[in-house]
Amino acid sequence: MKINKELIKGSTTMLILRLLDGQDMYGYQMIKELTNRSDETFNLREGTLYPILHTLNNQGMIEAYWDETQSARKRKYYRITKKGRVLLEEKKTEWKLYSKAINKVIGGECLE
Amino acid sequence: MNKEISRFMEDVCEEIKYKKIHSEIEKELSSHLEDSIEEYKLEGYSEDEAIKQTICNMGDATTIGAELNRIHRPKLEWSIVGTIATLLIISSWILFIIQGDSYARAGDLLFIRNIIHTMLGIVIMTIFYFFDYTKLEKYSMHMFIFTIVATLVTNRYAEYGIVRSYNGVYMFSIPGISISTAALYMPMFLIAYAGIINGVKDGSLKDIVKLLVLGVISIAILISHAPASQALLMMGGYAVLITIAIIDNKFIMDKKKMLISLYGGGLCSCIAVVYILIVKSPYFLMRIVTMFNPEEYSKTVGYILYNVKKIVTTSSFVGASPNMYIKNNGILVLPDVSTDFVLTYIIGRYGWLVGISIITLLIIMVVRMFSASSKINSGYGRLVSLAIATIFSMEIIAATLMNVGLFMHMAYTIPFLSYENGSKIMNMALLGLYLGIYRRKDIMITQSKC
């Protein structure tokens, strides 16, 4: 089922940081990974990825570098920084609290 | 490249005003597009279909461009520019007043010379602002060695050509502009040092020793160039740079231990430097002593400090102090009011309200410079901007304390506010460099992995 765009937008930063926490990736690779890992649930408008990546780079959360692969195509890779890992943990905690709270409300607590 | 792809890239780039970033963005986005097209082709799509689908997946080019534009904008730090512009205006005004105050014996060319220096300074500031500072980094070691050689050569050739020695202070002097050689070399050492620190890759003991040796050599050489105030500024600058490098994990040794040895060692070297200065000139010790008891030396070594204190403590909130001029001949009590004691003159003549306003401006400038520097992420830019912020801040603090009688008289002037001659132009150059670094802080400069 297609998920509301607004819900996705809020957590994209966390998802990207999580991906990069595992390994350095380039833009297209991130899109593919997100689609695969979420069993096709997350299907970002691909172009919107880049403003997010560039913003994170400016904030020092990730770092960019150009790398030449064997196919001689230059790709721009991103790697997560220490600062970025700290942010990732914060966002994960935030997400856990948030989803727990939502679950509590819809999960069957009767409202007297 | 296919027509549709280039059309897409054009639409994106059209929204991005900062043209220098276009090539980088084109490379990244087209790489993405090509990957996507290739994958579709592997799945059996035709070339045209693959392209269509890819572009559809990307989203709206204009929207993407607009968002990238917001991110990649060269920025100016207006609070710093505004503060300094205000200081420059106040400077022009007060120097006009001082020139008109016949009892200040400041000479008739003060005002016009200051205007010329300021205008030249603005031109040079603009040049440095647009200069791509990143080009400097790889010449850091060259610059450092060059400055060492230059300081040694200047020692030998004082009194030749444009190098003059006034009371032991070496100056570069052309008609209308002069600057002490120390004031010229000090920032060069500091900026080169920043680049050398940034170039440290392993952070091993070898690197630490290298930095220590270079630091000590440059300090030792610079002390031989009066005024000593410049060498002290440089020591402060080195301390800040090394501290930031330690905090940013440049070195492999334990951070706490390094910081302790840095500041322990720093304290020792400060004591050593003060000792050397005392040995060079016994009056130096006297001046330190008079800080604690100005009345006793008010007729001799403590004359300046005593009178500065007298003026500022007897000045009213709005209005003059009665102690500005000598009672029997009306001459201004303090010498060098256009340079070293501008703020004292202002407080003495116009009162503390104006004085506090100016001090507030100066505090704003210091705070904003450090806060802006902390926003800069790039290693080299961060270090250089911090070095510049440190130079300005230390000068401001020392000179302001001096002007209110809380510090002994040393060769510090309040940047931009005083009549600084060649130093004003130097300060504007540094300011331009600083603003240029800040301007580019959001524009990504990516390195290729070799």
Side-chain angles (χ1 to χ4, degrees):
Chain A
M1 120 182 183
K2 272 215 159 126
I3 299 202
N4 184 310
K5 256 200 297 182
E6 290 309 314
L7 283 178
I8 297 181
K9 250 205 242 175
S11 23
T12 318
T13 301
M14 178 174 63
L15 296 174
I16 291 178
L17 289 175
R18 178 61 189 91
L19 283 180
L20 293 178
D21 191 34
Q23 67 177 98
D24 296 359
M25 291 190 193
Y26 55 96
Y28 186 69
Q29 192 181 7
M30 286 185 230
I31 300 275
K32 288 281 128 209
E33 269 301 304
L34 269 176
T35 318
N36 285 341
R37 291 204 205 178
S38 68
D39 298 327
E40 310 275 315
T41 315
F42 288 149
N43 215 319
L44 270 188
R45 266 289 119 118
E46 299 181 12
T48 60
L49 177 69
Y50 289 97
I52 300 177
L53 285 175
H54 291 194
T55 306
L56 286 174
N57 188 33
N58 281 351
Q59 295 168 339
M61 303 296 168
I62 61 182
E63 274 173 348
Y65 61 92
W66 282 96
D67 198 57
E68 251 171 89
T69 60
Q70 305 106 316
S71 61
R73 166 174 307 160
K74 278 187 154 215
R75 289 206 179 92
K76 193 167 181 182
Y77 278 80
Y78 292 89
R79 79 166 76 91
I80 191 170
T81 62
K82 231 200 222 175
K83 228 173 148 184
R85 277 183 228 266
V86 172
L87 181 65
L88 175 60
E89 285 314 306
E90 274 175 29
K91 290 243 168 232
K92 279 208 269 194
T93 313
E94 192 184 34
W95 174 255
K96 284 189 197 139
L97 275 170
Y98 177 70
S99 44
K100 195 167 162 200
I102 299 254
N103 284 333
K104 267 205 172 151
V105 173
I106 53 174
E109 299 265 22
C110 293
L111 299 168
E112 307 284 4
Chain B
M1 218 199 293
N2 170 274
K3 209 169 45 151
E4 285 205 47
I5 298 183
S6 19
R7 179 71 174 306
F8 182 83
M9 294 306 318
E10 265 172 40
D11 287 344
V12 169
C13 285
E14 198 176 319
E15 301 299 312
I16 303 175
K17 296 197 190 101
Y18 187 65
K19 297 210 166 33
K20 289 224 174 107
I21 203 77
H22 284 182
S23 138
E24 175 105 7
I25 293 190
E26 259 178 51
K27 278 200 273 189
E28 187 174 19
L29 289 182
S30 43
S31 167
H32 181 125
L33 293 171
E34 280 163 26
D35 277 336
S36 172
I37 292 173
E38 205 174 289
E39 189 162 327
Y40 274 118
K41 277 167 55 174
L42 284 174
E43 288 177 16
Y45 284 64
S46 75
E47 172 108 12
D48 282 337
E49 299 247 284
I51 294 176
K52 259 205 178 60
Q53 193 60 41
T54 295
I55 295 201
C56 177
N57 287 345
M58 278 303 265
D60 178 37
T62 314
T63 316
I64 298 174
E67 285 189 35
L68 287 173
N69 177 46
R70 264 195 307 129
I71 299 168
H72 296 282
R73 257 194 311 216
K75 292 209 200 105
L76 195 60
E77 232 295 5
W78 289 109
S79 64
I80 295 179
V81 177
T83 315
I84 292 183
T86 312
L87 286 172
L88 289 172
I89 293 175
I90 296 178
S91 171
S92 301
W93 161 69
I94 196 61
L95 290 174
F96 183 73
I97 302 279
I98 290 178
Q99 185 177 301
D101 182 343
S102 46
Y103 298 110
R105 296 181 296 173
D108 290 331
L109 295 171
L110 197 67
F111 178 70
I112 192 74
R113 276 212 173 130
N114 186 54
I115 299 280
I116 293 178
H117 295 146
T118 307
M119 309 243 105
L120 258 175
I122 292 179
V123 169
I124 293 192
M125 177 179 85
T126 314
I127 295 177
F128 275 88
Y129 179 67
F130 287 110
F131 168 68
D132 184 3
Y133 74 95
T134 54
K135 296 205 167 77
L136 267 180
E137 188 177 359
K138 57 178 179 289
Y139 298 111
S140 295
M141 191 50 115
H142 305 84
M143 200 159 114
F144 202 88
I145 309 252
F146 171 81
T147 314
I148 291 182
V149 173
T151 30
L152 292 171
V153 169
T154 325
N155 270 346
R156 288 211 58 210
Y157 291 99
E159 304 296 341
Y160 258 89
I162 61 172
V163 182
R164 297 253 171 269
S165 175
Y166 295 104
N167 290 334
V169 178
Y170 295 120
M171 309 277 290
F172 284 119
S173 206
I174 61 176
I177 306 178
S178 61
I179 183 172
S180 73
T181 57
L184 184 62
Y185 293 141
M186 188 271 292
M188 287 171 69
F189 270 133
L190 212 47
I191 291 175
Y193 201 74
I196 296 175
I197 290 185
N198 198 49
V200 164
K201 290 200 177 20
D202 304 318
S204 60
L205 192 61
K206 203 170 67 143
D207 295 313
I208 296 179
V209 171
K210 176 171 85 170
L211 288 173
L212 260 171
V213 168
L214 289 175
V216 168
I217 291 181
S218 50
I219 293 172
I221 292 184
L222 202 64
I223 289 188
S224 68
H225 277 244
S229 54
Q230 296 295 317
L232 290 174
L233 283 181
M234 194 165 79
M235 286 172 73
Y238 283 161
V240 169
L241 286 180
I242 299 182
T243 307
I244 297 294
I246 293 176
I247 294 180
D248 283 348
N249 293 306
K250 264 280 182 187
F251 306 107
I252 53 181
M253 264 127 270
D254 173 54
K255 282 204 263 194
K256 277 209 186 123
K257 288 198 193 135
M258 288 206 74
L259 285 173
I260 293 177
S261 36
L262 171 68
Y263 283 95
L267 198 58
C268 291
S269 15
C270 275
I271 296 177
V273 167
V274 170
Y275 179 75
I276 294 176
L277 292 174
I278 291 177
V279 165
K280 265 180 89 178
S281 152
Y283 272 123
F284 192 73
L285 179 60
M286 290 306 295
R287 280 154 61 197
I288 299 180
V289 170
T290 62
M291 262 207 285
F292 302 100
N293 193 357
E295 282 85 21
E296 196 172 320
Y297 301 96
S298 61
K299 296 283 188 283
T300 54
V301 193
Y303 175 76
I304 288 181
L305 187 58
Y306 175 72
N307 280 291
V308 168
K309 268 196 154 132
K310 208 161 156 207
I311 291 176
V312 299
T313 48
T314 56
S315 188
S316 33
F317 200 55
V318 182
S321 157
N323 294 304
M324 291 270 282
Y325 304 92
I326 299 180
K327 297 287 194 312
N328 52 358
N329 55 16
I331 291 180
L332 202 58
V333 153
L334 290 173
D336 302 326
V337 268
S338 57
T339 52
D340 296 15
F341 293 106
V342 195
L343 189 56
T344 315
Y345 184 85
I346 292 177
I347 294 176
R349 184 155 168 165
Y350 297 104
W352 272 102
L353 182 60
V354 183
I356 290 184
S357 316
I358 294 182
I359 293 179
T360 310
L361 269 178
L362 293 169
I363 294 178
I364 292 177
M365 183 172 143
V366 171
V367 169
R368 292 303 304 157
M369 284 196 88
F370 277 109
S371 123
S373 283
S374 67
K375 292 201 199 128
I376 297 172
N377 285 314
S378 120
Y380 183 57
R382 187 178 169 81
L383 288 168
V384 176
S385 61
L386 273 168
I388 297 178
T390 307
I391 294 176
F392 284 156
S393 311
M394 284 180 74
E395 267 196 293
I396 287 176
I397 295 174
T400 306
L401 288 176
M402 222 171 77
N403 271 247
V404 296
L406 291 172
F407 193 59
M408 65 189 216
H409 183 198
M410 286 195 81
Y412 289 117
T413 58
I414 300 181
F416 307 113
L417 184 67
S418 320
Y419 176 75
E420 304 175 86
N421 207 321
S423 282
K424 186 163 272 182
I425 302 178
M426 168 56 101
N427 284 336
M428 307 267 314
L430 289 175
L431 180 68
L433 192 60
Y434 178 90
L435 291 173
I437 294 174
Y438 185 82
R439 173 180 193 247
R440 291 183 175 76
K441 73 176 172 75
D442 288 334
I443 294 159
M444 300 191 296
I445 306 155
T446 48
Q447 313 100 351
S448 341
K449 226 182 181 170
C450 288

